[in-house]
Amino acid sequence: MARWTWARAPPPASTCRSSGSLLAEGGDGRLRLTDEGRDLHARAAETQRANRTRVHDGVGDEECPTTPKALRRVIRVAGGDVRRGT
């Protein structure tokens, strides 16, 4: 299973305190989303939901994992290349 890693190290907590930041350090030293960070997260989640709805139009959830034809259709709608062997 692939693991996600940072392309570079995350910024130290001290750099996340400035205005306009997406993160802020709480009194307990843990990083938390700022209002701006929560807003960005909500917009990203809505974009993801809208994209999933768009690319799955006409393809039932139960079809996706089991039907190669349905998966190729999802890839085409998302703008991908479905040539065999690629």
Coordinates of all heavy atoms in Angstrom, one line a residue:
M1 N 0.8 -1.2 0.0 CA 0.0 0.0 0.0 C 0.9 1.2 0.0 O 1.8 1.4 0.8 CB -0.9 0.0 1.2 CG -1.7 1.3 1.4 SD -2.6 1.4 3.0 CE -3.9 0.3 2.6
A2 N 0.6 2.2 -0.9 CA 1.3 3.4 -1.0 C 1.1 4.3 0.3 O 0.0 4.3 0.8 CB 1.0 4.2 -2.2
R3 N 2.1 5.0 0.7 CA 1.9 5.9 1.8 C 2.2 7.3 1.3 O 3.0 7.6 0.5 CB 2.9 5.6 2.9 CG 2.7 4.2 3.5 CD 3.6 4.1 4.7 NE 3.2 5.0 5.7 CZ 3.2 4.8 7.0 NH1 3.5 3.6 7.4 NH2 2.8 5.7 7.8
W4 N 1.4 8.3 1.8 CA 1.5 9.7 1.5 C 2.6 10.2 2.3 O 2.7 10.0 3.5 CB 0.2 10.4 1.7 CG -0.8 10.1 0.7 CD1 -1.8 9.2 0.9 CD2 -1.0 10.6 -0.6 NE1 -2.6 9.1 -0.2 CE2 -2.1 9.9 -1.1 CE3 -0.3 11.5 -1.4 CZ2 -2.5 10.2 -2.4 CZ3 -0.7 11.7 -2.6 CH2 -1.9 11.1 -3.1
T5 N 3.5 11.0 1.7 CA 4.5 11.7 2.5 C 4.6 13.1 2.1 O 4.1 13.5 1.0 CB 5.9 11.0 2.3 OG1 6.2 11.1 0.9 CG2 5.9 9.6 2.7
W6 N 5.2 14.0 2.9 CA 5.4 15.4 2.6 C 6.5 15.4 1.5 O 7.5 14.8 1.6 CB 5.8 16.2 3.8 CG 4.8 16.4 4.8 CD1 4.5 15.5 5.9 CD2 3.9 17.4 4.9 NE1 3.5 16.0 6.6 CE2 3.1 17.2 6.0 CE3 3.7 18.6 4.1 CZ2 2.0 18.1 6.4 CZ3 2.7 19.5 4.5 CH2 1.9 19.2 5.6
A7 N 6.3 16.3 0.5 CA 7.3 16.5 -0.5 C 8.5 17.2 0.2 O 9.6 17.1 -0.2 CB 6.8 17.3 -1.6
R8 N 8.2 18.0 1.2 CA 9.2 18.6 2.0 C 8.6 18.7 3.4 O 7.4 18.5 3.6 CB 9.5 20.0 1.5 CG 8.4 20.9 1.4 CD 8.7 22.2 0.8 NE 7.4 22.7 0.3 CZ 7.2 23.7 -0.4 NH1 8.2 24.4 -0.8 NH2 6.0 24.1 -0.8
A9 N 9.4 18.9 4.4 CA 9.0 18.9 5.8 C 7.9 20.0 6.0 O 8.0 21.1 5.4 CB 10.1 19.2 6.7
P10 N 6.9 19.7 6.8 CA 5.9 20.8 7.1 C 6.6 21.9 7.9 O 7.6 21.8 8.5 CB 4.9 20.1 8.0 CG 5.6 18.9 8.6 CD 6.7 18.5 7.6
P11 N 6.0 23.1 7.8 CA 6.6 24.3 8.4 C 6.5 24.1 9.9 O 5.6 23.5 10.5 CB 5.7 25.5 8.0 CG 4.4 24.8 7.6 CD 4.7 23.5 7.1
P12 N 7.5 24.7 10.6 CA 7.4 24.6 12.1 C 6.2 25.4 12.6 O 5.8 26.3 11.9 CB 8.7 25.3 12.5 CG 9.4 25.8 11.3 CD 8.7 25.3 10.1
A13 N 5.7 25.0 13.7 CA 4.5 25.6 14.3 C 4.7 27.2 14.4 O 3.7 27.9 14.2 CB 4.1 25.0 15.6
S14 N 5.9 27.6 14.7 CA 6.1 29.0 14.9 C 5.8 29.8 13.7 O 5.5 31.0 13.7 CB 7.5 29.3 15.4 OG 8.4 28.8 14.5
T15 N 5.9 29.2 12.5 CA 5.7 30.0 11.2 C 4.2 30.0 10.9 O 3.8 30.6 9.9 CB 6.5 29.4 10.1 OG1 6.0 28.1 9.8 CG2 8.0 29.4 10.3
C16 N 3.4 29.3 11.6 CA 2.0 29.2 11.3 C 1.1 30.1 12.1 O -0.1 30.1 12.1 CB 1.5 27.7 11.6 SG 2.3 26.5 10.5
R17 N 1.8 31.1 12.8 CA 1.0 32.0 13.7 C 0.7 33.3 13.0 O -0.1 34.1 13.6 CB 1.9 32.3 14.9 CG 2.1 31.1 15.8 CD 2.9 31.4 17.0 NE 3.2 30.2 17.7 CZ 4.2 30.1 18.6 NH1 5.0 31.2 18.8 NH2 4.4 29.0 19.2
S18 N 1.2 33.6 11.9 CA 1.0 34.9 11.2 C -0.4 35.0 10.7 O -1.1 34.1 10.5 CB 2.0 35.1 10.1 OG 1.8 34.2 9.1
S19 N -0.9 36.3 10.6 CA -2.2 36.5 10.0 C -2.3 36.0 8.6 O -1.3 36.0 7.9 CB -2.6 38.0 10.1 OG -1.7 38.7 9.2
G20 N -3.4 35.5 8.2 CA -3.6 34.9 6.9 C -3.1 33.5 6.8 O -3.1 32.9 5.7
S21 N -2.8 32.9 7.9 CA -2.3 31.5 8.0 C -3.5 30.6 8.0 O -4.6 30.9 8.5 CB -1.4 31.3 9.2 OG -1.0 30.0 9.2
L22 N -3.3 29.4 7.6 CA -4.4 28.4 7.6 C -4.3 27.6 8.9 O -5.3 26.9 9.3 CB -4.2 27.4 6.5 CG -4.3 28.0 5.1 CD1 -4.0 27.0 4.0 CD2 -5.6 28.8 4.9
L23 N -3.2 27.7 9.7 CA -3.0 27.0 10.9 C -2.6 27.9 12.0 O -1.9 29.0 11.8 CB -1.9 25.9 10.8 CG -2.1 24.8 9.8 CD1 -0.8 24.0 9.7 CD2 -3.2 23.9 10.3
A24 N -2.9 27.6 13.2 CA -2.5 28.3 14.4 C -2.2 27.3 15.5 O -2.8 26.3 15.6 CB -3.6 29.3 14.9
E25 N -1.2 27.7 16.3 CA -0.9 26.8 17.5 C -1.8 27.2 18.6 O -1.9 28.3 19.1 CB 0.6 27.0 17.8 CG 1.1 26.0 18.8 CD 2.6 26.1 19.0 OE1 3.2 26.8 18.3 OE2 3.0 25.4 20.0
G26 N -2.4 26.2 19.2 CA -3.3 26.3 20.4 C -2.4 26.4 21.6 O -1.2 26.2 21.6
G27 N -3.1 26.7 22.7 CA -2.4 26.8 24.0 C -1.8 25.5 24.4 O -0.8 25.5 25.2
D28 N -2.3 24.4 23.9 CA -1.7 23.1 24.3 C -0.6 22.7 23.3 O 0.0 21.6 23.4 CB -2.8 22.0 24.3 CG -3.5 21.9 22.9 OD1 -3.1 22.6 22.0 OD2 -4.4 21.0 22.8
G29 N -0.2 23.6 22.4 CA 0.9 23.3 21.5 C 0.5 22.6 20.2 O 1.3 22.4 19.3
R30 N -0.8 22.2 20.1 CA -1.3 21.5 18.9 C -1.7 22.5 17.9 O -2.2 23.6 18.2 CB -2.5 20.6 19.3 CG -2.1 19.5 20.2 CD -3.2 18.7 20.7 NE -3.9 18.0 19.5 CZ -5.0 17.4 19.6 NH1 -5.7 17.3 20.8 NH2 -5.6 16.9 18.6
L31 N -1.5 22.1 16.6 CA -1.9 23.0 15.5 C -3.4 22.8 15.2 O -3.9 21.7 15.3 CB -1.1 22.7 14.2 CG 0.4 23.0 14.3 CD1 1.0 22.5 13.0 CD2 0.6 24.4 14.5
R32 N -4.1 23.9 14.9 CA -5.5 23.9 14.7 C -5.7 24.8 13.4 O -5.0 25.7 13.1 CB -6.3 24.5 15.8 CG -6.0 23.7 17.1 CD -7.2 23.9 18.1 NE -7.0 23.5 19.4 CZ -6.5 22.3 19.9 NH1 -6.1 21.4 19.0 NH2 -6.5 22.0 21.1
L33 N -6.8 24.4 12.7 CA -7.2 25.3 11.6 C -7.7 26.6 12.1 O -8.4 26.7 13.1 CB -8.3 24.6 10.8 CG -7.9 23.4 9.9 CD1 -9.2 22.7 9.4 CD2 -6.9 23.7 8.9
T34 N -7.3 27.7 11.4 CA -7.9 29.0 11.6 C -9.2 29.1 10.9 O -9.6 28.2 10.2 CB -6.9 30.1 11.1 OG1 -6.8 29.9 9.7 CG2 -5.5 30.0 11.7
D35 N -9.9 30.2 11.1 CA -11.2 30.4 10.4 C -10.9 30.3 8.9 O -11.7 29.7 8.1 CB -11.8 31.8 10.7 CG -12.4 31.8 12.1 OD1 -12.6 30.7 12.7 OD2 -12.6 32.9 12.6
E36 N -9.8 30.9 8.4 CA -9.5 30.8 7.0 C -9.2 29.4 6.6 O -9.6 28.9 5.5 CB -8.3 31.7 6.7 CG -7.9 31.8 5.2 CD -6.7 32.7 5.0 OE1 -6.2 33.3 5.9 OE2 -6.3 32.7 3.8
G37 N -8.5 28.6 7.4 CA -8.2 27.2 7.1 C -9.5 26.4 7.1 O -9.6 25.5 6.2
R38 N -10.4 26.6 8.0 CA -11.7 25.9 8.0 C -12.5 26.2 6.7 O -13.1 25.4 6.1 CB -12.5 26.2 9.2 CG -12.0 25.4 10.5 CD -13.0 25.6 11.7 NE -12.9 27.0 12.2 CZ -12.0 27.4 13.0 NH1 -11.0 26.6 13.4 NH2 -12.0 28.6 13.5
D39 N -12.5 27.5 6.3 CA -13.2 27.9 5.1 C -12.6 27.2 3.9 O -13.3 26.7 3.0 CB -13.1 29.4 4.9 CG -13.8 29.9 3.7 OD1 -15.0 29.6 3.5 OD2 -13.2 30.6 2.9
L40 N -11.2 27.2 3.8 CA -10.6 26.5 2.7 C -10.9 25.0 2.7 O -11.2 24.5 1.6 CB -9.1 26.8 2.7 CG -8.3 26.1 1.6 CD1 -8.7 26.6 0.2 CD2 -6.8 26.3 1.8
H41 N -10.9 24.4 3.8 CA -11.2 23.0 3.9 C -12.6 22.7 3.5 O -12.9 21.8 2.7 CB -11.0 22.5 5.4 CG -11.3 21.1 5.6 ND1 -12.5 20.6 5.9 CD2 -10.5 20.0 5.4 CE1 -12.5 19.3 6.0 NE2 -11.3 18.9 5.7
A42 N -13.6 23.6 3.9 CA -15.0 23.4 3.5 C -15.1 23.5 2.0 O -15.8 22.8 1.3 CB -15.9 24.4 4.2
R43 N -14.4 24.5 1.4 CA -14.5 24.7 -0.1 C -13.9 23.6 -0.8 O -14.4 23.1 -1.9 CB -13.9 26.1 -0.5 CG -14.7 27.3 -0.1 CD -14.1 28.6 -0.5 NE -12.9 28.8 0.2 CZ -11.8 29.4 -0.2 NH1 -11.7 29.7 -1.5 NH2 -10.7 29.6 0.5
A44 N -12.8 23.1 -0.3 CA -12.1 21.9 -1.0 C -13.0 20.7 -0.9 O -13.1 19.9 -1.9 CB -10.8 21.6 -0.3
A45 N -13.6 20.5 0.2 CA -14.5 19.3 0.4 C -15.7 19.4 -0.6 O -16.1 18.5 -1.2 CB -15.0 19.2 1.8
E46 N -16.3 20.6 -0.7 CA -17.4 20.8 -1.7 C -17.0 20.6 -3.1 O -17.7 20.0 -3.9 CB -18.0 22.2 -1.5 CG -19.2 22.5 -2.4 CD -20.3 21.4 -2.3 OE1 -20.6 20.9 -1.2 OE2 -20.8 21.1 -3.4
T47 N -15.8 21.1 -3.4 CA -15.2 20.9 -4.8 C -15.1 19.4 -5.1 O -15.5 18.9 -6.1 CB -13.9 21.6 -5.0 OG1 -14.1 23.0 -4.8 CG2 -13.3 21.3 -6.3
Q48 N -14.6 18.6 -4.1 CA -14.4 17.2 -4.2 C -15.8 16.5 -4.4 O -15.9 15.6 -5.3 CB -13.7 16.6 -3.0 CG -13.3 15.1 -3.1 CD -14.4 14.2 -2.7 OE1 -15.3 14.5 -1.9 NE2 -14.4 13.0 -3.3
R49 N -16.8 16.9 -3.6 CA -18.1 16.3 -3.8 C -18.7 16.6 -5.1 O -19.2 15.7 -5.8 CB -19.0 16.8 -2.7 CG -18.8 16.1 -1.3 CD -19.9 16.5 -0.3 NE -19.8 17.9 0.1 CZ -19.1 18.4 1.1 NH1 -18.3 17.5 1.8 NH2 -19.1 19.6 1.4
A50 N -18.6 17.8 -5.6 CA -19.1 18.2 -6.9 C -18.4 17.4 -8.0 O -19.0 17.0 -9.0 CB -18.9 19.7 -7.1
N51 N -17.1 17.3 -7.9 CA -16.3 16.6 -9.0 C -16.7 15.1 -9.0 O -16.9 14.5 -10.0 CB -14.8 16.7 -8.8 CG -14.3 18.0 -9.2 OD1 -14.9 18.7 -10.1 ND2 -13.2 18.5 -8.6
R52 N -16.9 14.5 -7.8 CA -17.3 13.1 -7.7 C -18.7 12.9 -8.3 O -18.9 12.0 -9.1 CB -17.3 12.6 -6.3 CG -17.6 11.1 -6.2 CD -17.6 10.6 -4.7 NE -17.5 9.2 -4.7 CZ -18.6 8.4 -4.9 NH1 -19.7 8.9 -5.2 NH2 -18.5 7.1 -4.8
T53 N -19.6 13.8 -8.0 CA -20.9 13.7 -8.6 C -20.8 13.9 -10.1 O -21.5 13.1 -10.9 CB -21.8 14.9 -8.0 OG1 -21.9 14.7 -6.6 CG2 -23.2 14.9 -8.7
R54 N -20.0 14.8 -10.6 CA -19.9 15.0 -12.1 C -19.3 13.8 -12.8 O -19.9 13.3 -13.8 CB -19.0 16.2 -12.3 CG -18.9 16.5 -13.8 CD -18.0 17.7 -14.1 NE -16.6 17.6 -13.5 CZ -15.6 17.0 -14.2 NH1 -15.8 16.5 -15.4 NH2 -14.4 16.8 -13.7
V55 N -18.2 13.2 -12.3 CA -17.6 12.1 -13.0 C -18.3 10.8 -12.8 O -18.1 9.8 -13.5 CB -16.1 12.0 -12.6 CG1 -15.3 13.2 -12.9 CG2 -15.9 11.5 -11.2
H56 N -19.2 10.7 -11.8 CA -19.9 9.4 -11.5 C -21.3 9.5 -12.1 O -22.1 8.6 -11.9 CB -20.0 9.1 -10.0 CG -18.7 8.5 -9.5 ND1 -17.7 9.3 -8.9 CD2 -18.2 7.2 -9.5 CE1 -16.7 8.5 -8.6 NE2 -17.0 7.3 -9.0
D57 N -21.6 10.5 -12.9 CA -23.0 10.7 -13.5 C -23.3 9.4 -14.3 O -22.6 9.1 -15.2 CB -23.0 11.9 -14.3 CG -24.4 12.2 -14.8 OD1 -25.4 11.8 -14.1 OD2 -24.6 12.7 -16.0
G58 N -24.4 8.7 -13.9 CA -24.8 7.6 -14.6 C -24.1 6.3 -14.2 O -24.4 5.2 -14.8
V59 N -23.2 6.3 -13.3 CA -22.4 5.2 -12.9 C -22.8 4.9 -11.4 O -22.4 5.8 -10.5 CB -20.9 5.3 -13.0 CG1 -20.2 4.1 -12.6 CG2 -20.5 5.7 -14.5
G60 N -23.4 3.8 -11.1 CA -23.8 3.5 -9.7 C -22.6 3.2 -8.9 O -21.6 2.7 -9.4
D61 N -22.7 3.5 -7.6 CA -21.5 3.3 -6.7 C -21.2 1.8 -6.7 O -20.0 1.4 -6.6 CB -21.9 3.7 -5.2 CG -21.8 5.2 -5.1 OD1 -21.2 5.9 -5.9 OD2 -22.4 5.7 -4.1
E62 N -22.2 0.9 -6.8 CA -21.9 -0.5 -6.8 C -21.2 -1.0 -8.0 O -20.5 -2.0 -8.1 CB -23.1 -1.3 -6.5 CG -24.2 -1.2 -7.6 CD -25.0 0.1 -7.7 OE1 -24.9 0.8 -6.7 OE2 -25.6 0.3 -8.7
E63 N -21.3 -0.2 -9.1 CA -20.6 -0.6 -10.4 C -19.1 -0.2 -10.4 O -18.3 -1.0 -11.0 CB -21.2 0.2 -11.6 CG -22.6 -0.3 -12.1 CD -23.0 0.5 -13.2 OE1 -23.4 1.7 -13.0 OE2 -22.8 0.0 -14.4
C64 N -18.8 0.9 -9.8 CA -17.4 1.4 -9.9 C -16.3 0.4 -9.6 O -15.4 0.2 -10.4 CB -17.2 2.6 -9.1 SG -17.9 4.1 -9.9
P65 N -16.3 -0.3 -8.5 CA -15.2 -1.2 -8.2 C -15.2 -2.5 -9.0 O -14.2 -3.2 -9.0 CB -15.3 -1.5 -6.7 CG -16.7 -1.0 -6.3 CD -17.2 -0.1 -7.3
T66 N -16.3 -2.8 -9.6 CA -16.4 -4.1 -10.2 C -16.5 -4.1 -11.7 O -16.3 -5.2 -12.3 CB -17.6 -4.9 -9.7 OG1 -18.8 -4.1 -9.9 CG2 -17.5 -5.1 -8.2
T67 N -16.7 -3.0 -12.3 CA -17.0 -3.0 -13.8 C -15.9 -2.1 -14.5 O -16.0 -0.9 -14.4 CB -18.4 -2.4 -14.1 OG1 -19.3 -3.1 -13.3 CG2 -18.7 -2.5 -15.5
P68 N -15.0 -2.8 -15.2 CA -14.0 -2.0 -15.9 C -14.6 -1.0 -16.9 O -14.0 0.1 -17.0 CB -13.2 -3.1 -16.6 CG -13.3 -4.3 -15.8 CD -14.7 -4.2 -15.3
K69 N -15.6 -1.4 -17.5 CA -16.3 -0.4 -18.5 C -16.7 0.8 -17.8 O -16.5 1.9 -18.3 CB -17.5 -1.1 -19.2 CG -18.1 -0.3 -20.2 CD -19.3 -1.0 -20.8 CE -20.1 -0.2 -21.8 NZ -21.2 -0.9 -22.4
A70 N -17.3 0.7 -16.6 CA -17.7 1.9 -15.8 C -16.5 2.7 -15.4 O -16.6 3.9 -15.5 CB -18.5 1.4 -14.6
L71 N -15.5 2.0 -15.0 CA -14.3 2.8 -14.6 C -13.7 3.5 -15.8 O -13.2 4.7 -15.6 CB -13.2 1.8 -14.0 CG -13.7 1.2 -12.6 CD1 -12.7 0.2 -12.2 CD2 -13.9 2.3 -11.6
R72 N -13.6 2.9 -16.9 CA -13.1 3.6 -18.1 C -14.0 4.8 -18.4 O -13.5 5.9 -18.8 CB -13.0 2.7 -19.3 CG -11.9 1.7 -19.2 CD -11.6 1.0 -20.5 NE -12.7 0.1 -20.9 CZ -12.9 -1.1 -20.6 NH1 -12.0 -1.7 -19.8 NH2 -13.9 -1.8 -21.0
R73 N -15.3 4.7 -18.3 CA -16.2 5.8 -18.5 C -15.9 7.0 -17.5 O -15.9 8.1 -17.9 CB -17.6 5.3 -18.4 CG -18.7 6.4 -18.8 CD -20.1 5.8 -19.0 NE -20.4 5.0 -17.8 CZ -21.3 4.0 -17.8 NH1 -21.8 3.6 -18.9 NH2 -21.6 3.4 -16.7
V74 N -15.7 6.6 -16.2 CA -15.4 7.7 -15.2 C -14.1 8.4 -15.6 O -14.0 9.6 -15.5 CB -15.3 7.0 -13.8 CG1 -14.6 8.0 -12.8 CG2 -16.6 6.6 -13.3
I75 N -13.1 7.6 -16.1 CA -11.8 8.2 -16.4 C -12.0 9.1 -17.6 O -11.4 10.3 -17.7 CB -10.8 7.1 -16.8 CG1 -10.4 6.4 -15.5 CG2 -9.5 7.7 -17.4 CD1 -9.7 5.1 -15.7
R76 N -12.8 8.7 -18.6 CA -13.0 9.6 -19.8 C -13.7 10.9 -19.4 O -13.3 12.0 -19.8 CB -13.9 8.8 -20.8 CG -13.1 8.2 -21.9 CD -14.0 7.7 -23.0 NE -13.6 6.3 -23.4 CZ -14.3 5.2 -22.9 NH1 -15.3 5.3 -22.2 NH2 -13.9 4.1 -23.3
V77 N -14.7 10.8 -18.6 CA -15.5 12.0 -18.1 C -14.5 12.9 -17.4 O -14.7 14.1 -17.5 CB -16.7 11.6 -17.3 CG1 -17.3 12.8 -16.6 CG2 -17.7 10.9 -18.1
A78 N -13.6 12.4 -16.6 CA -12.7 13.2 -15.9 C -11.5 13.7 -16.7 O -10.7 14.4 -16.3 CB -12.1 12.4 -14.7
G79 N -11.5 13.4 -18.0 CA -10.5 13.9 -18.9 C -9.3 13.0 -19.1 O -8.3 13.4 -19.7
G80 N -9.4 11.8 -18.6 CA -8.2 10.9 -18.6 C -8.1 10.1 -19.9 O -9.0 10.2 -20.8
D81 N -7.0 9.4 -20.1 CA -6.7 8.6 -21.3 C -7.0 7.1 -20.9 O -6.4 6.6 -19.9 CB -5.3 8.8 -21.7 CG -4.9 8.1 -23.0 OD1 -5.8 7.3 -23.5 OD2 -3.8 8.3 -23.4
V82 N -7.8 6.4 -21.6 CA -8.1 5.1 -21.3 C -7.6 4.0 -22.3 O -8.1 2.9 -22.4 CB -9.7 4.9 -21.2 CG1 -10.2 5.6 -20.0 CG2 -10.4 5.3 -22.4
R83 N -6.5 4.4 -23.0 CA -5.9 3.5 -24.0 C -5.5 2.2 -23.2 O -4.9 2.3 -22.2 CB -4.8 4.1 -24.7 CG -5.2 5.2 -25.7 CD -4.0 5.8 -26.4 NE -3.3 6.6 -25.4 CZ -2.1 7.0 -25.5 NH1 -1.4 6.7 -26.5 NH2 -1.5 7.8 -24.6
R84 N -5.7 1.1 -23.8 CA -5.3 -0.2 -23.2 C -3.8 -0.2 -23.1 O -3.0 0.2 -24.0 CB -5.8 -1.4 -24.0 CG -7.3 -1.5 -24.0 CD -7.7 -2.8 -24.7 NE -9.1 -2.8 -24.8 CZ -10.0 -3.3 -23.9 NH1 -9.5 -3.8 -22.8 NH2 -11.3 -3.3 -24.1
G85 N -3.3 -0.8 -22.0 CA -1.9 -1.0 -21.8 C -1.1 0.3 -21.3 O 0.1 0.3 -21.3
T86 N -1.9 1.3 -20.9 CA -1.2 2.5 -20.5 C -1.6 2.8 -19.0 O -2.5 2.3 -18.5 CB -1.5 3.8 -21.3 OG1 -2.9 4.0 -21.3 CG2 -1.0 3.6 -22.7

